[in-house]
mmCIF file of all heavy atoms in Angstrom:
data_model
loop_
_atom_site.group_PDB
_atom_site.id
_atom_site.type_symbol
_atom_site.label_atom_id
_atom_site.label_comp_id
_atom_site.label_asym_id
_atom_site.label_seq_id
_atom_site.Cartn_x
_atom_site.Cartn_y
_atom_site.Cartn_z
ATOM 1 N N SER L 1155 7.359 -69.182 -17.730
ATOM 2 C CA SER L 1155 6.328 -69.379 -16.641
ATOM 3 C C SER L 1155 7.021 -69.907 -15.406
ATOM 4 O O SER L 1155 8.078 -70.462 -15.420
ATOM 5 C CB SER L 1155 5.134 -70.209 -17.038
ATOM 6 O OG SER L 1155 5.632 -71.486 -17.338
ATOM 7 N N ILE L 1159 5.314 -76.613 -7.106
ATOM 8 C CA ILE L 1159 4.955 -78.025 -6.918
ATOM 9 C C ILE L 1159 4.869 -78.339 -5.426
ATOM 10 O O ILE L 1159 5.859 -78.045 -4.714
ATOM 11 C CB ILE L 1159 5.959 -78.928 -7.580
ATOM 12 C CG1 ILE L 1159 5.959 -78.649 -9.081
ATOM 13 C CG2 ILE L 1159 5.714 -80.437 -7.360
ATOM 14 C CD1 ILE L 1159 7.056 -79.406 -9.856
ATOM 15 N N ALA L 1166 10.352 -82.103 1.955
ATOM 16 C CA ALA L 1166 11.075 -80.820 1.891
ATOM 17 C C ALA L 1166 12.277 -80.770 2.772
ATOM 18 O O ALA L 1166 13.350 -80.345 2.382
ATOM 19 C CB ALA L 1166 10.094 -79.683 2.271
ATOM 20 N N GLY L 1176 25.923 -81.865 -0.327
ATOM 21 C CA GLY L 1176 26.908 -81.589 -1.372
ATOM 22 C C GLY L 1176 27.156 -82.731 -2.249
ATOM 23 O O GLY L 1176 26.438 -83.694 -2.293
ATOM 24 N N TRP L 1183 20.707 -89.579 -4.458
ATOM 25 C CA TRP L 1183 19.326 -89.085 -4.627
ATOM 26 C C TRP L 1183 19.191 -88.241 -5.872
ATOM 27 O O TRP L 1183 20.214 -87.820 -6.398
ATOM 28 C CB TRP L 1183 18.955 -88.176 -3.400
ATOM 29 C CG TRP L 1183 19.661 -86.890 -3.311
ATOM 30 C CD1 TRP L 1183 20.988 -86.655 -3.102
ATOM 31 C CD2 TRP L 1183 19.061 -85.584 -3.550
ATOM 32 N NE1 TRP L 1183 21.240 -85.286 -3.126
ATOM 33 C CE2 TRP L 1183 20.053 -84.660 -3.445
ATOM 34 C CE3 TRP L 1183 17.762 -85.205 -3.831
ATOM 35 C CZ2 TRP L 1183 19.816 -83.255 -3.551
ATOM 36 C CZ3 TRP L 1183 17.492 -83.808 -3.938
ATOM 37 C CH2 TRP L 1183 18.521 -82.883 -3.839
ATOM 38 N N ASP L 1184 17.983 -88.075 -6.338
ATOM 39 C CA ASP L 1184 17.745 -87.216 -7.526
ATOM 40 C C ASP L 1184 16.281 -86.776 -7.516
ATOM 41 O O ASP L 1184 15.428 -87.433 -6.906
ATOM 42 C CB ASP L 1184 18.165 -87.927 -8.817
ATOM 43 C CG ASP L 1184 17.173 -88.972 -9.203
ATOM 44 O OD1 ASP L 1184 17.280 -90.108 -8.733
ATOM 45 O OD2 ASP L 1184 16.199 -88.642 -10.039
ATOM 46 N N ASN L 1191 3.452 -86.600 -23.222
ATOM 47 C CA ASN L 1191 2.065 -86.186 -23.721
ATOM 48 C C ASN L 1191 1.615 -85.003 -22.908
ATOM 49 O O ASN L 1191 2.351 -84.049 -22.803
ATOM 50 C CB ASN L 1191 1.118 -87.402 -23.613
ATOM 51 C CG ASN L 1191 1.573 -88.542 -24.458
ATOM 52 O OD1 ASN L 1191 2.322 -88.394 -25.417
ATOM 53 N ND2 ASN L 1191 1.164 -89.737 -24.184
ATOM 54 N N LEU L 1203 18.004 -92.732 2.057
ATOM 55 C CA LEU L 1203 16.942 -92.844 3.056
ATOM 56 C C LEU L 1203 15.791 -93.714 2.572
ATOM 57 O O LEU L 1203 14.829 -93.902 3.317
ATOM 58 C CB LEU L 1203 16.454 -91.458 3.462
ATOM 59 C CG LEU L 1203 17.529 -90.476 4.015
ATOM 60 C CD1 LEU L 1203 16.954 -89.088 4.171
ATOM 61 C CD2 LEU L 1203 18.055 -91.000 5.326
ATOM 62 N N TYR L 1207 8.969 -90.017 -3.749
ATOM 63 C CA TYR L 1207 7.816 -89.099 -3.773
ATOM 64 C C TYR L 1207 7.487 -88.784 -5.213
ATOM 65 O O TYR L 1207 8.348 -88.262 -5.921
ATOM 66 C CB TYR L 1207 8.201 -87.827 -3.003
ATOM 67 C CG TYR L 1207 7.055 -86.828 -2.836
ATOM 68 C CD1 TYR L 1207 5.949 -87.067 -2.038
ATOM 69 C CD2 TYR L 1207 7.119 -85.619 -3.553
ATOM 70 C CE1 TYR L 1207 4.942 -86.124 -1.961
ATOM 71 C CE2 TYR L 1207 6.153 -84.670 -3.405
ATOM 72 C CZ TYR L 1207 5.033 -84.912 -2.636
ATOM 73 O OH TYR L 1207 4.048 -83.976 -2.494
ATOM 74 N N ASN L 1236 2.365 -101.860 -7.110
ATOM 75 C CA ASN L 1236 3.591 -101.046 -6.798
ATOM 76 C C ASN L 1236 4.762 -101.336 -7.731
ATOM 77 O O ASN L 1236 5.411 -100.405 -8.203
ATOM 78 C CB ASN L 1236 3.940 -101.265 -5.331
ATOM 79 C CG ASN L 1236 5.070 -100.341 -4.888
ATOM 80 O OD1 ASN L 1236 5.315 -99.310 -5.518
ATOM 81 N ND2 ASN L 1236 5.721 -100.708 -3.830
ATOM 82 N N ILE L 1259 14.653 -76.702 -11.336
ATOM 83 C CA ILE L 1259 14.244 -76.746 -9.858
ATOM 84 C C ILE L 1259 15.139 -75.812 -9.123
ATOM 85 O O ILE L 1259 16.363 -75.881 -9.138
ATOM 86 C CB ILE L 1259 14.376 -78.187 -9.343
ATOM 87 C CG1 ILE L 1259 13.429 -79.116 -10.108
ATOM 88 C CG2 ILE L 1259 14.139 -78.222 -7.848
ATOM 89 C CD1 ILE L 1259 13.550 -80.558 -9.691
ATOM 90 N N LYS L 1267 4.183 -65.410 3.473
ATOM 91 C CA LYS L 1267 2.993 -64.924 4.160
ATOM 92 C C LYS L 1267 2.818 -63.412 3.883
ATOM 93 O O LYS L 1267 3.764 -62.663 3.831
ATOM 94 C CB LYS L 1267 3.173 -65.084 5.711
ATOM 95 C CG LYS L 1267 3.258 -66.515 6.163
ATOM 96 C CD LYS L 1267 3.570 -66.578 7.640
ATOM 97 C CE LYS L 1267 3.768 -68.008 8.073
ATOM 98 N NZ LYS L 1267 4.197 -68.060 9.528
ATOM 99 N N LYS L 1305 -1.808 -54.036 -17.757
ATOM 100 C CA LYS L 1305 -1.239 -54.675 -18.919
ATOM 101 C C LYS L 1305 -2.124 -54.554 -20.160
ATOM 102 O O LYS L 1305 -1.615 -54.629 -21.291
ATOM 103 C CB LYS L 1305 -0.972 -56.156 -18.579
ATOM 104 C CG LYS L 1305 0.034 -56.320 -17.504
ATOM 105 C CD LYS L 1305 0.170 -57.845 -17.073
ATOM 106 C CE LYS L 1305 0.845 -58.650 -18.131
ATOM 107 N NZ LYS L 1305 1.085 -59.967 -17.650
ATOM 108 N N HIS L 1313 4.884 -44.698 -17.815
ATOM 109 C CA HIS L 1313 5.615 -43.959 -16.716
ATOM 110 C C HIS L 1313 4.687 -43.613 -15.605
ATOM 111 O O HIS L 1313 5.131 -43.203 -14.464
ATOM 112 C CB HIS L 1313 6.207 -42.684 -17.301
ATOM 113 C CG HIS L 1313 5.172 -41.808 -17.944
ATOM 114 N ND1 HIS L 1313 4.515 -42.080 -19.101
ATOM 115 C CD2 HIS L 1313 4.668 -40.601 -17.477
ATOM 116 C CE1 HIS L 1313 3.679 -41.133 -19.428
ATOM 117 N NE2 HIS L 1313 3.747 -40.194 -18.451
ATOM 118 N N TYR L 1328 8.609 -54.139 -2.327
ATOM 119 C CA TYR L 1328 7.783 -54.235 -3.533
ATOM 120 C C TYR L 1328 6.920 -52.984 -3.560
ATOM 121 O O TYR L 1328 6.238 -52.614 -2.640
ATOM 122 C CB TYR L 1328 6.865 -55.472 -3.492
ATOM 123 C CG TYR L 1328 5.912 -55.490 -4.713
ATOM 124 C CD1 TYR L 1328 6.435 -55.761 -5.921
ATOM 125 C CD2 TYR L 1328 4.585 -55.185 -4.599
ATOM 126 C CE1 TYR L 1328 5.579 -55.687 -7.068
ATOM 127 C CE2 TYR L 1328 3.752 -55.121 -5.714
ATOM 128 C CZ TYR L 1328 4.314 -55.424 -6.942
ATOM 129 O OH TYR L 1328 3.534 -55.420 -8.036
ATOM 130 N N PHE L 1330 4.183 -50.878 -5.845
ATOM 131 C CA PHE L 1330 3.281 -50.738 -6.947
ATOM 132 C C PHE L 1330 2.581 -49.344 -6.866
ATOM 133 O O PHE L 1330 2.026 -48.999 -5.844
ATOM 134 C CB PHE L 1330 2.165 -51.837 -6.942
ATOM 135 C CG PHE L 1330 1.116 -51.644 -7.961
ATOM 136 C CD1 PHE L 1330 1.338 -51.975 -9.292
ATOM 137 C CD2 PHE L 1330 -0.128 -51.056 -7.610
ATOM 138 C CE1 PHE L 1330 0.352 -51.781 -10.227
ATOM 139 C CE2 PHE L 1330 -1.116 -50.881 -8.563
ATOM 140 C CZ PHE L 1330 -0.879 -51.227 -9.885
ATOM 141 N N HIS L 1340 -5.520 -42.434 -7.427
ATOM 142 C CA HIS L 1340 -4.275 -43.105 -7.581
ATOM 143 C C HIS L 1340 -4.089 -44.186 -6.536
ATOM 144 O O HIS L 1340 -4.749 -44.172 -5.445
ATOM 145 C CB HIS L 1340 -3.086 -42.140 -7.499
ATOM 146 C CG HIS L 1340 -2.914 -41.490 -6.142
ATOM 147 N ND1 HIS L 1340 -3.582 -40.356 -5.787
ATOM 148 C CD2 HIS L 1340 -2.140 -41.937 -5.122
ATOM 149 C CE1 HIS L 1340 -3.224 -40.089 -4.575
ATOM 150 N NE2 HIS L 1340 -2.378 -40.972 -4.085
ATOM 151 N N THR L 1341 -3.283 -45.181 -6.808
ATOM 152 C CA THR L 1341 -3.001 -46.271 -5.883
ATOM 153 C C THR L 1341 -1.523 -46.320 -5.577
ATOM 154 O O THR L 1341 -0.707 -46.229 -6.490
ATOM 155 C CB THR L 1341 -3.460 -47.605 -6.554
ATOM 156 O OG1 THR L 1341 -4.868 -47.506 -6.839
ATOM 157 C CG2 THR L 1341 -3.246 -48.749 -5.541
ATOM 158 N N TRP L 1354 5.892 -60.584 4.433
ATOM 159 C CA TRP L 1354 5.801 -59.200 3.921
ATOM 160 C C TRP L 1354 4.907 -58.354 4.724
ATOM 161 O O TRP L 1354 3.865 -58.811 5.220
ATOM 162 C CB TRP L 1354 5.218 -59.317 2.446
ATOM 163 C CG TRP L 1354 6.233 -59.910 1.482
ATOM 164 C CD1 TRP L 1354 6.323 -61.248 1.256
ATOM 165 C CD2 TRP L 1354 7.131 -59.225 0.604
ATOM 166 N NE1 TRP L 1354 7.293 -61.442 0.297
ATOM 167 C CE2 TRP L 1354 7.799 -60.238 -0.083
ATOM 168 C CE3 TRP L 1354 7.493 -57.906 0.433
ATOM 169 C CZ2 TRP L 1354 8.795 -59.923 -1.027
ATOM 170 C CZ3 TRP L 1354 8.462 -57.618 -0.487
ATOM 171 C CH2 TRP L 1354 9.152 -58.587 -1.210
ATOM 172 N N THR L 1356 3.115 -54.245 5.191
ATOM 173 C CA THR L 1356 2.870 -52.952 4.513
ATOM 174 C C THR L 1356 3.804 -51.939 5.184
ATOM 175 O O THR L 1356 4.377 -52.094 6.240
ATOM 176 C CB THR L 1356 1.437 -52.457 4.769
ATOM 177 O OG1 THR L 1356 1.247 -52.327 6.189
ATOM 178 C CG2 THR L 1356 0.425 -53.468 4.225
ATOM 179 N N PRO L 1364 8.580 -53.701 15.461
ATOM 180 C CA PRO L 1364 9.933 -53.747 16.006
ATOM 181 C C PRO L 1364 11.000 -54.256 15.033
ATOM 182 O O PRO L 1364 12.132 -53.896 15.081
ATOM 183 C CB PRO L 1364 9.775 -54.701 17.203
ATOM 184 C CG PRO L 1364 8.362 -54.744 17.529
ATOM 185 C CD PRO L 1364 7.593 -54.472 16.292
ATOM 186 N N ILE L 1370 14.498 -46.423 8.865
ATOM 187 C CA ILE L 1370 13.639 -45.268 8.638
ATOM 188 C C ILE L 1370 12.899 -45.494 7.369
ATOM 189 O O ILE L 1370 13.387 -45.531 6.282
ATOM 190 C CB ILE L 1370 14.454 -43.950 8.486
ATOM 191 C CG1 ILE L 1370 15.352 -43.817 9.713
ATOM 192 C CG2 ILE L 1370 13.562 -42.774 8.275
ATOM 193 C CD1 ILE L 1370 16.311 -42.658 9.623
ATOM 194 N N LEU L 1372 10.384 -44.228 5.507
ATOM 195 C CA LEU L 1372 10.190 -43.346 4.362
ATOM 196 C C LEU L 1372 11.472 -43.159 3.576
ATOM 197 O O LEU L 1372 11.460 -43.130 2.343
ATOM 198 C CB LEU L 1372 9.654 -41.987 4.848
ATOM 199 C CG LEU L 1372 8.176 -42.011 5.339
ATOM 200 C CD1 LEU L 1372 7.785 -40.612 5.823
ATOM 201 C CD2 LEU L 1372 7.271 -42.497 4.256
#
Side-chain angles (χ1 to χ4, degrees):
Chain L
S1155 62
I1159 298 175
W1183 72 290
D1184 74 274
N1191 300 337
L1203 300 173
Y1207 182 72
N1236 186 18
I1259 295 175
K1267 296 176 184 174
K1305 293 174 73 174
H1313 59 289
Y1328 176 73
F1330 172 78
H1340 66 273
T1341 302
W1354 292 85
T1356 63
I1370 303 172
L1372 290 178

